Amino acid sequence: MTTTPAQIHRLPASAAPSGMLAELIERRIPGMSLEAPFYTSEEVFDLDVAEIFAKHWIFVATEAEIPEPGDYLTINIGPHSVILLRDDDEQVSALHNVCRHRGARILNEPAGSVGNLVCGYHHWTYSSDGSLLHADSQPADFDRSAFSLRTLAVRTVAGLVFVCLSNSPPQDFDAYAKRIEPYIAPHALARTKIAAQEDIIEDGNWKLVMENNRECYHCEGHPELSCSLFPTYGYEEGGLPPRLRPAYNRYLGADADLKLTSEANALPYARIEELRQGATGFRIQREPLDGAGESFSPDGKLVCTKLLGEFDEPRLGRLSMHLQPNAWFHFLSDHAVTFSVLPLAAGKTALRTTWLVHEDAVEGRDYDVQALKRVWHRTNAQDGTFVARAQLGISSPAYLPGPYAPNEYQVEDFVCWYINRLRAGTGAAGESGEEQ
Amino acid sequence: MTTTPAQIHRLPASAAPSGMLAELIERRIPGMSLEAPFYTSEEVFDLDVAEIFAKHWIFVATEAEIPEPGDYLTINIGPHSVILLRDDDEQVSALHNVCRHRGARILNEPAGSVGNLVCGYHHWTYSSDGSLLHADSQPADFDRSAFSLRTLAVRTVAGLVFVCLSNSPPQDFDAYAKRIEPYIAPHALARTKIAAQEDIIEDGNWKLVMENNRECYHCEGHPELSCSLFPTYGYEEGGLPPRLRPAYNRYLGADADLKLTSEANALPYARIEELRQGATGFRIQREPLDGAGESFSPDGKLVCTKLLGEFDEPRLGRLSMHLQPNAWFHFLSDHAVTFSVLPLAAGKTALRTTWLVHEDAVEGRDYDVQALKRVWHRTNAQDGTFVARAQLGISSPAYLPGPYAPNEYQVEDFVCWYINRLRAGTGAAGESGEEQ
Amino acid sequence: MTTTPAQIHRLPASAAPSGMLAELIERRIPGMSLEAPFYTSEEVFDLDVAEIFAKHWIFVATEAEIPEPGDYLTINIGPHSVILLRDDDEQVSALHNVCRHRGARILNEPAGSVGNLVCGYHHWTYSSDGSLLHADSQPADFDRSAFSLRTLAVRTVAGLVFVCLSNSPPQDFDAYAKRIEPYIAPHALARTKIAAQEDIIEDGNWKLVMENNRECYHCEGHPELSCSLFPTYGYEEGGLPPRLRPAYNRYLGADADLKLTSEANALPYARIEELRQGATGFRIQREPLDGAGESFSPDGKLVCTKLLGEFDEPRLGRLSMHLQPNAWFHFLSDHAVTFSVLPLAAGKTALRTTWLVHEDAVEGRDYDVQALKRVWHRTNAQDGTFVARAQLGISSPAYLPGPYAPNEYQVEDFVCWYINRLRAGTGAAGESGEEQ
């Protein structure tokens, strides 16, 4: 993994935003992109880490990445380093990757397998629950129990792993989990394996990465993805440009088919869209794919012949989920792909993409890994270019916030959610986007 | 082009300097180099961008770089990215390179040719005057006229292109243009082409790059340039060191010859020197070259056999112009060379050097591009070393401002101009250097 | 030399720490590692440069590095560049490497030999005592005496060179010099030469580099060094873990032998340990080496067959000195090795290691340079890894100060000395660690 953690060289800011930040939050104009400092200022970046990434449930991995007891990942969330560990009870635990002796990072690889957690510096040894088992050369009155590794909240839902750095995680996550589980469970992530994983660093603020994900207005820039996604994404029927009418008719037919197929396979498909509300904003829906309608590929046909779970029907479209603040997902009949956005600095963001296939799928027989990755590998690179150009343009003092089009309503949803969360976290009044 | 824009990671400063900056400006001692923060502090850099580069006429290019309708350049001025475009009426226009939708940089190459300006992100399409011609998928009440590209002031004088980022550009530019045009016009830049262009990044503050340009006290460090420039540059006759007396006598003879030649060719030559005054400080003079007196070359002979404009006399010396805040120029009988200094960060500066020859000159027959560039290519590299050493030394807390010698009077002029402009821009009282 | 100076891009801070810094200094808990900003904040880094590195005696070199008149070194201490020069009287002088004209760095190589000091920019020429001998083109009333190079305090003790950037250097240095000289003098550094020198950049704060040096709790991570150092370093007999009992018995035997040998050779060996007190905290002791007891090597045998000074006894153990704030040393019968820690930025530190052998020792005959360097070359690299992991872990907001073990008492001594010096320098009340 090529991501590097943000180095914090600033004195810690107080939780409350400075006067200028408070003013920026206060004066945000609905329907318009944010003012430049939200994307370029390190002060806002610190605020985003403290208020967004340290107070919400953050999608960081899939359970399939740590299948066996002792398997671990290290994940950087801004300046935090978090250990995700499958413990001896096969549960996923999450610990801060900071030795309680003199602060050394304990695990220094992105992934691996361990027994106890042993700091390489002075060999302080912790169990997988963080208890300090052994520290050499201490005085008789040394109280080991006072120096456990700090833990953090961790939740798994249908094979997806979320952490929360706050001691009081958002309470709406239970409701969220309950609602999405029936959609995702049939894809049986518990019986998948990692076919591929890629980390890229985008030269832009994490919110630009998210905003870019939340609309298909730019999808002409994605020749590979355009074979699979209908270009009508985000439009209401009344607002369709005439040129998209044929595609829309094709979409309507595919969508009707998909509903029948979903019902025949007892798969939920209805859209739930609560992107602005509460702490855990999300959207989930089963939607048709263009072409053959089976998977992300030039002709819409499967990219893995071994289907997930108990599926025998390949034409299940894409079960897509958008999640605030940092993730999106596509679950198909033949594979799943997850995206996790992690902030590095005001102008640097890590994007991790993970492709999962059935645990019994065999590379070379059931799937070709290059073909499996092709659409999103290229789409990610194209999006990286868009994000970098946005970051550069916004860095000019000539930049002014501009209007979101109707088919960018999910960008507006994301921005409203973000501003609402800053206001909620910092005690500022008012909710953004209530007038819509 | 290898320059990269300054990434702005600071909350925008108010226009007025902070108390410490105001004090630094106030206490500047005439005749001495500036205090260290003027060269090393990012706060001063922001102030320089706002007060100097965003409020004055900045030389950025020659018309010959964009000869045809649709030809464009993108120029970074601090965090600004500016598009210079030859429009369909063959006029040069200047626009901010920032899409009015979500801020993406529109043109991402240093130069090229376009029809309309199309943002690659969501295909918002602008005409060459910045009008928004088309934005897909907008609601019926969308007012395109509210989202034109932001333009900025642009002026051309005798083939040189200047922009001003301010809405109220300095008003003394008309007078300046009127006075320099008769000097430069005979060199007929309208009928030149770009023979070569080089961009280098110097490891020093932009003011050190300018100060270095404004004296020949260091010209012993320029073996190639010393074949052409008299080492007596900047001296008054009474202050000449004895060792320079022979060179000075040689200079006097060459200067007398040049005056006769200039008069015979109806070329203005008299020095105008108003480097400290007003917003558009400048100096222009036709001066002799050493050796054969024709061009920048080891023996002073021509480096291009096809002369500029209607010239048939090669011994026209150098028509040299120094311009505040960021440029200098040499116009000769056989070529012209322009220099544009653009700030990147407190300790990083871009220098663009452009060599122009007659549009009918043929490489390999009339000129050899390596020979053409030789003197200034090497001189720039030598100057880059001097600037880097100055930046390093000034970064030491042991640095103290030191005295300018009499032959560095143009450095003092530059610094006085700079301090005056900061005072004028920020409302501080007093003018620097009035006592001289 | 690969070190680069810290570029100062901040407005100069006032000498007194800001409120937050004062609070951090005030609330330091004895026996615990420092809070994170001490290691990660650039504000603290600036304070450390101003209060620690600019106000104390800093070990920077050995006299053997500049044996001949005209020999010089340039040393970066934070943003300072210092010239160390052997002058015509064979004395070592120290000058700021900043021209008094326009601030250029005068000497731009890490080491070399010069006559007068000539700035390469405008050829201002200084004598080795800093007097300005010549500045061309000045007016008649130019007072050269006002523009000498700024000097700084320099001291040599038994062949070691110390500088102090302050005008009022700590006065306890005389007493320090008087006490250590009898220990070091027999090793006759005046008759040594540099066999090897290495500069590495560690990815951590300078205090982490020092703290790492001040304990052997982590020495299991040093397989090469563990052949020479007894693993009982830092333990009091009562606190020994049972597994170290055999090593401790071996140590006691070796120590008894060493005392006899030292007395037979009239070498002082007793420990002086005043690491917390005053400005010039230090510790010196002659201690046994494991194995053959002669030198740093896999079997403890000599790595140079030509012994230092007048020695004919190889089993002299290691005369080791720890010095606040930035150095440690080992003087053996066959070679000496010195370590100088110089800060580059909050998270970057230069470590220079120098190996000295008898001036008559011949490489290839008396010593093999790879074998000579082996133990500390590898140990430095291992320590660099530990320091980098500590810096990364401490950068996490989850980091909390942790407890030093009894065998880390010298780390606590270093931290108490550091906090005491900040308090003394900034006028804050109280001394740290008085309760111990």
Side-chain angles (χ1 to χ4, degrees):
Chain A
M1 178 173 182
T2 56
T3 59
T4 52
Q7 299 279 337
I8 296 304
H9 290 325
R10 297 175 287 278
L11 285 178
S14 69
S18 72
M20 177 136 215
L21 287 179
E23 196 183 313
L24 281 167
I25 293 167
E26 193 55 41
R27 73 184 183 207
R28 193 258 155 166
I29 300 169
M32 305 285 276
S33 60
L34 292 167
E35 291 188 65
F38 283 107
Y39 303 108
T40 61
S41 144
E42 295 292 351
E43 270 178 274
V44 174
F45 178 78
D46 289 348
L47 188 72
D48 284 0
V49 169
E51 290 299 325
I52 304 297
F53 282 88
K55 290 192 179 172
H56 293 84
W57 287 100
I58 305 299
F59 169 72
V60 290
T62 56
E63 287 202 69
E65 293 169 66
I66 43 173
E68 302 294 332
D71 288 350
Y72 73 84
L73 303 174
T74 57
I75 307 282
N76 296 320
I77 303 176
H80 299 266
S81 175
V82 170
I83 298 169
L84 274 193
L85 183 72
R86 175 82 60 184
D87 65 22
D88 294 341
D89 301 329
E90 309 221 341
Q91 298 304 300
V92 178
S93 61
L95 309 106
H96 285 285
N97 193 7
V98 182
C99 185
R100 293 298 306 278
H101 176 213
R102 280 161 56 190
R105 189 167 279 189
I106 295 171
L107 296 177
N108 290 279
E109 298 297 323
S113 186
V114 288
N116 290 324
L117 298 165
V118 183
C119 179
Y121 201 172
H122 303 92
H123 292 209
W124 282 35
T125 301
Y126 304 88
S127 70
S128 61
D129 68 359
S131 306
L132 178 58
L133 299 174
H134 181 70
D136 207 0
S137 307
Q138 298 298 332
D141 62 353
F142 180 71
D143 177 11
R144 282 205 314 268
S145 70
F147 298 103
S148 299
L149 287 185
R150 298 178 74 183
T151 59
L152 62 161
V154 60
R155 292 286 302 264
T156 63
V157 182
L160 308 177
V161 184
F162 301 80
V163 297
C164 182
L165 288 154
S166 166
N167 289 327
S168 32
Q171 304 209 337
D172 62 359
F173 194 80
D174 281 336
Y176 161 72
K178 201 165 166 188
R179 293 172 79 190
I180 66 165
E181 201 151 25
Y183 285 77
I184 302 173
H187 294 265
L189 298 188
R191 285 181 284 134
T192 60
K193 64 175 182 182
I194 308 305
Q197 187 168 71
E198 290 186 353
D199 292 308
I200 63 173
I201 309 293
E202 301 199 22
D203 288 324
N205 187 269
W206 71 275
K207 295 187 290 291
L208 292 178
V209 177
M210 294 305 298
E211 290 166 22
N212 176 77
N213 167 254
R214 295 296 153 89
E215 43 89 4
C216 219
Y217 189 10
H218 73 274
C219 280
E220 265 186 67
H222 293 314
E224 294 83 6
L225 184 62
S226 293
C227 299
S228 305
L229 290 196
F230 288 95
T232 54
Y233 188 86
Y235 284 95
E236 303 215 26
E237 191 163 355
L240 271 179
R243 66 178 171 81
L244 292 182
R245 176 59 60 184
Y248 192 68
N249 289 338
R250 205 164 68 246
Y251 163 78
L252 290 175
D255 194 47
D257 281 354
L258 180 62
K259 283 177 177 157
L260 292 175
T261 310
S262 298
E263 283 162 6
N265 288 272
L267 298 173
Y269 57 83
R271 175 169 61 180
I272 308 175
E273 186 165 281
E274 300 180 1
L275 285 162
R276 295 191 188 193
Q277 292 96 323
T280 312
F282 75 104
R283 180 191 193 281
I284 195 165
Q285 183 178 14
R286 187 173 298 275
E287 301 181 77
L289 290 163
D290 209 346
E294 299 174 356
S295 195
F296 288 120
S297 60
D299 56 3
K301 303 289 269 181
L302 295 175
V303 291
C304 180
T305 55
K306 174 75 183 165
L307 298 190
L308 296 180
E310 305 300 324
F311 293 145
D312 51 19
E313 167 59 58
R315 280 171 59 87
L316 300 180
R318 58 182 175 99
L319 171 65
S320 296
M321 180 164 67
H322 286 179
L323 184 59
Q324 319 295 28
N326 84 315
W328 62 96
F329 309 82
H330 300 291
F331 306 96
L332 296 84
S333 65
D334 63 341
H335 75 285
V337 54
T338 70
F339 304 79
S340 173
V341 170
L342 293 168
L344 299 173
K348 294 271 176 201
T349 304
L351 172 65
R352 170 168 285 191
T353 306
T354 307
W355 288 263
L356 302 110
V357 296
H358 194 288
E359 61 187 357
D360 297 334
V362 177
E363 195 187 341
R365 185 189 72 186
D366 298 311
Y367 67 97
D368 171 79
V369 74
Q370 295 307 320
L372 176 74
K373 292 194 313 184
R374 185 173 171 277
V375 167
W376 284 106
H377 171 78
R378 296 198 182 176
T379 299
N380 283 343
Q382 292 148 5
D383 283 329
T385 301
F386 294 137
V387 164
R389 289 178 182 178
Q391 185 75 21
L392 282 170
I394 289 168
S395 296
S396 168
Y399 164 76
L400 292 173
Y404 296 132
N407 61 342
E408 297 176 295
Y409 76 93
Q410 285 190 45
V411 183
E412 172 67 4
D413 286 343
F414 170 77
V415 170
C416 286
W417 179 89
Y418 166 76
I419 292 288
N420 284 340
R421 299 315 300 165
L422 291 189
R423 286 177 181 165
T426 61
E431 286 256 322
S432 181
E434 292 306 277
E435 71 294 344
Q436 294 202 300
Chain B
M1 177 175 182
T2 56
T3 59
T4 53
Q7 299 280 337
I8 296 303
H9 291 324
R10 297 176 287 278
L11 284 180
S14 69
S18 72
M20 179 136 214
L21 287 178
E23 195 182 313
L24 282 167
I25 294 166
E26 194 54 43
R27 74 183 183 208
R28 193 256 156 168
I29 299 169
M32 305 285 275
S33 60
L34 293 166
E35 291 188 64
F38 283 107
Y39 303 108
T40 61
S41 142
E42 295 293 351
E43 271 180 273
V44 174
F45 178 79
D46 290 348
L47 187 73
D48 285 359
V49 168
E51 291 299 325
I52 304 297
F53 282 88
K55 290 191 179 173
H56 293 83
W57 287 100
I58 304 300
F59 169 72
V60 289
T62 57
E63 286 202 70
E65 293 169 64
I66 44 173
E68 302 294 331
D71 288 350
Y72 74 83
L73 303 173
T74 56
I75 307 282
N76 296 320
I77 303 176
H80 300 266
S81 175
V82 170
I83 298 169
L84 275 192
L85 183 73
R86 176 81 61 182
D87 66 22
D88 293 342
D89 300 330
E90 309 220 341
Q91 300 304 301
V92 178
S93 61
L95 309 106
H96 284 284
N97 193 8
V98 182
C99 185
R100 292 298 305 279
H101 177 213
R102 279 162 57 190
R105 188 167 281 190
I106 296 170
L107 296 177
N108 290 279
E109 298 297 322
S113 187
V114 287
N116 290 323
L117 298 165
V118 182
C119 178
Y121 200 172
H122 302 92
H123 292 210
W124 282 35
T125 302
Y126 304 87
S127 70
S128 61
D129 67 0
S131 306
L132 178 58
L133 299 174
H134 182 70
D136 207 1
S137 308
Q138 297 299 333
D141 63 353
F142 180 71
D143 178 10
R144 283 205 312 270
S145 70
F147 298 103
S148 300
L149 287 186
R150 299 178 74 181
T151 59
L152 62 160
V154 62
R155 291 285 303 264
T156 63
V157 182
L160 307 177
V161 184
F162 300 82
V163 297
C164 182
L165 288 155
S166 165
N167 289 327
S168 33
Q171 303 210 338
D172 62 358
F173 194 80
D174 281 336
Y176 160 72
K178 204 165 164 186
R179 294 170 79 188
I180 67 165
E181 200 152 24
Y183 284 78
I184 302 172
H187 294 264
L189 298 189
R191 285 180 285 134
T192 60
K193 64 176 181 182
I194 308 306
Q197 187 167 72
E198 290 187 353
D199 291 308
I200 62 173
I201 309 293
E202 302 198 22
D203 289 325
N205 187 269
W206 70 275
K207 296 188 290 291
L208 292 177
V209 178
M210 294 304 299
E211 291 166 20
N212 176 75
N213 168 253
R214 293 297 152 87
E215 44 90 1
C216 218
Y217 189 11
H218 73 275
C219 280
E220 265 187 66
H222 294 314
E224 294 83 6
L225 184 62
S226 294
C227 300
S228 304
L229 290 196
F230 288 95
T232 54
Y233 188 87
Y235 283 96
E236 303 215 28
E237 191 164 352
L240 271 179
R243 66 176 172 82
L244 292 182
R245 177 58 61 182
Y248 192 68
N249 289 338
R250 203 163 70 244
Y251 163 77
L252 289 176
D255 194 46
D257 282 352
L258 181 62
K259 283 176 178 158
L260 293 174
T261 310
S262 297
E263 284 162 6
N265 287 273
L267 297 174
Y269 58 82
R271 175 169 59 179
I272 309 175
E273 188 164 280
E274 300 181 0
L275 284 162
R276 294 190 188 195
Q277 293 97 326
T280 313
F282 74 105
R283 179 191 194 281
I284 194 164
Q285 184 178 13
R286 188 173 297 276
E287 301 182 76
L289 290 164
D290 208 345
E294 298 174 357
S295 195
F296 289 118
S297 60
D299 56 3
K301 303 290 271 183
L302 295 175
V303 291
C304 180
T305 56
K306 174 76 184 165
L307 299 191
L308 296 180
E310 305 299 323
F311 293 146
D312 50 18
E313 168 59 58
R315 281 172 58 87
L316 299 180
R318 57 182 175 99
L319 171 65
S320 295
M321 180 164 68
H322 286 179
L323 184 59
Q324 318 294 30
N326 83 314
W328 62 95
F329 309 82
H330 300 291
F331 306 96
L332 296 85
S333 65
D334 62 341
H335 75 287
V337 54
T338 71
F339 303 79
S340 173
V341 170
L342 293 169
L344 298 173
K348 293 272 177 201
T349 304
L351 171 66
R352 169 168 287 189
T353 307
T354 307
W355 288 263
L356 300 110
V357 296
H358 194 289
E359 62 186 357
D360 297 334
V362 176
E363 194 186 342
R365 186 189 71 187
D366 297 312
Y367 67 97
D368 172 80
V369 73
Q370 296 307 321
L372 177 74
K373 292 194 311 184
R374 185 173 171 276
V375 168
W376 284 105
H377 171 77
R378 296 199 182 176
T379 300
N380 284 343
Q382 292 149 5
D383 282 331
T385 300
F386 294 137
V387 165
R389 289 178 182 177
Q391 185 75 22
L392 283 171
I394 289 168
S395 296
S396 169
Y399 164 75
L400 293 174
Y404 295 132
N407 62 343
E408 297 176 296
Y409 76 94
Q410 286 189 45
V411 184
E412 172 67 5
D413 285 344
F414 170 77
V415 170
C416 286
W417 178 90
Y418 166 75
I419 291 288
N420 283 340
R421 299 316 300 166
L422 290 189
R423 287 176 181 166
T426 61
E431 286 256 322
S432 181
E434 290 307 276
E435 70 294 344
Q436 294 201 300
Chain C
M1 177 173 181
T2 56
T3 60
T4 53
Q7 298 281 336
I8 296 303
H9 291 324
R10 296 175 288 279
L11 284 179
S14 69
S18 72
M20 177 135 216
L21 287 179
E23 196 182 312
L24 282 166
I25 294 167
E26 194 54 42
R27 73 184 184 208
R28 194 256 156 168
I29 300 169
M32 305 285 274
S33 59
L34 293 167
E35 291 188 66
F38 282 107
Y39 303 107
T40 61
S41 142
E42 295 293 350
E43 271 179 273
V44 174
F45 179 78
D46 290 348
L47 187 72
D48 284 359
V49 168
E51 291 299 325
I52 303 297
F53 283 88
K55 290 191 179 172
H56 293 83
W57 287 100
I58 305 299
F59 170 71
V60 289
T62 57
E63 286 202 70
E65 293 170 66
I66 44 174
E68 302 294 331
D71 288 350
Y72 73 83
L73 304 174
T74 57
I75 307 282
N76 296 320
I77 303 176
H80 300 266
S81 174
V82 171
I83 298 169
L84 274 194
L85 183 73
R86 175 82 59 183
D87 66 22
D88 294 342
D89 300 329
E90 308 220 341
Q91 298 305 301
V92 178
S93 61
L95 309 105
H96 284 286
N97 193 7
V98 182
C99 184
R100 292 297 306 277
H101 176 213
R102 280 162 56 191
R105 188 168 280 190
I106 295 171
L107 296 177
N108 290 278
E109 298 296 324
S113 187
V114 289
N116 289 323
L117 297 165
V118 183
C119 178
Y121 201 173
H122 302 93
H123 291 208
W124 282 35
T125 302
Y126 304 87
S127 69
S128 61
D129 68 359
S131 307
L132 178 58
L133 299 174
H134 181 71
D136 207 0
S137 309
Q138 297 298 333
D141 63 353
F142 180 73
D143 177 12
R144 282 205 313 270
S145 70
F147 298 103
S148 299
L149 287 186
R150 299 178 74 181
T151 58
L152 61 161
V154 61
R155 291 285 303 263
T156 63
V157 182
L160 307 177
V161 184
F162 301 81
V163 296
C164 182
L165 288 155
S166 166
N167 290 327
S168 31
Q171 304 209 339
D172 62 359
F173 195 80
D174 281 336
Y176 161 72
K178 202 165 166 186
R179 294 170 79 189
I180 66 166
E181 201 152 23
Y183 285 78
I184 302 172
H187 294 265
L189 297 189
R191 286 181 284 135
T192 60
K193 64 175 182 182
I194 309 305
Q197 187 167 72
E198 290 186 353
D199 291 308
I200 63 172
I201 309 294
E202 301 198 22
D203 288 324
N205 187 268
W206 71 274
K207 295 187 289 291
L208 291 177
V209 178
M210 293 305 300
E211 290 165 23
N212 176 76
N213 168 254
R214 294 297 151 89
E215 44 89 3
C216 219
Y217 190 9
H218 73 274
C219 280
E220 264 187 65
H222 294 313
E224 294 83 7
L225 184 61
S226 293
C227 300
S228 304
L229 290 197
F230 288 95
T232 53
Y233 188 85
Y235 282 95
E236 303 214 28
E237 191 163 355
L240 272 179
R243 65 178 171 81
L244 293 182
R245 176 59 59 185
Y248 192 68
N249 289 337
R250 201 162 72 244
Y251 163 78
L252 289 176
D255 193 47
D257 282 351
L258 180 61
K259 282 178 177 157
L260 293 173
T261 310
S262 298
E263 283 161 7
N265 288 271
L267 298 174
Y269 57 81
R271 176 169 61 179
I272 309 176
E273 187 165 280
E274 301 180 1
L275 284 162
R276 294 190 189 194
Q277 293 98 322
T280 311
F282 74 104
R283 178 190 195 282
I284 195 165
Q285 183 178 13
R286 188 173 299 275
E287 302 182 76
L289 290 164
D290 208 346
E294 299 175 356
S295 195
F296 289 120
S297 60
D299 56 3
K301 303 290 270 181
L302 296 176
V303 290
C304 181
T305 56
K306 174 76 185 164
L307 298 191
L308 296 180
E310 305 300 323
F311 293 147
D312 50 19
E313 167 59 59
R315 282 172 57 87
L316 301 180
R318 57 182 176 100
L319 171 65
S320 295
M321 179 164 67
H322 285 180
L323 184 60
Q324 319 294 31
N326 84 314
W328 62 96
F329 309 82
H330 300 290
F331 307 96
L332 296 84
S333 65
D334 63 342
H335 76 285
V337 54
T338 71
F339 303 79
S340 172
V341 170
L342 293 168
L344 299 173
K348 293 271 176 200
T349 304
L351 172 66
R352 170 168 285 190
T353 306
T354 307
W355 289 262
L356 301 109
V357 297
H358 194 288
E359 61 187 359
D360 297 334
V362 176
E363 193 186 342
R365 186 191 69 189
D366 296 311
Y367 67 97
D368 172 78
V369 73
Q370 296 307 321
L372 177 73
K373 293 193 313 184
R374 186 174 172 276
V375 167
W376 284 104
H377 171 78
R378 297 198 181 176
T379 299
N380 284 342
Q382 292 148 5
D383 283 331
T385 300
F386 294 137
V387 164
R389 289 179 182 176
Q391 185 75 21
L392 282 171
I394 290 168
S395 295
S396 168
Y399 164 75
L400 292 174
Y404 296 132
N407 61 343
E408 296 177 296
Y409 76 94
Q410 285 189 46
V411 183
E412 172 68 5
D413 285 343
F414 170 77
V415 171
C416 286
W417 178 89
Y418 166 75
I419 292 288
N420 283 340
R421 299 316 299 166
L422 290 190
R423 286 177 181 166
T426 61
E431 286 255 324
S432 182
E434 291 307 278
E435 70 292 346
Q436 294 201 300

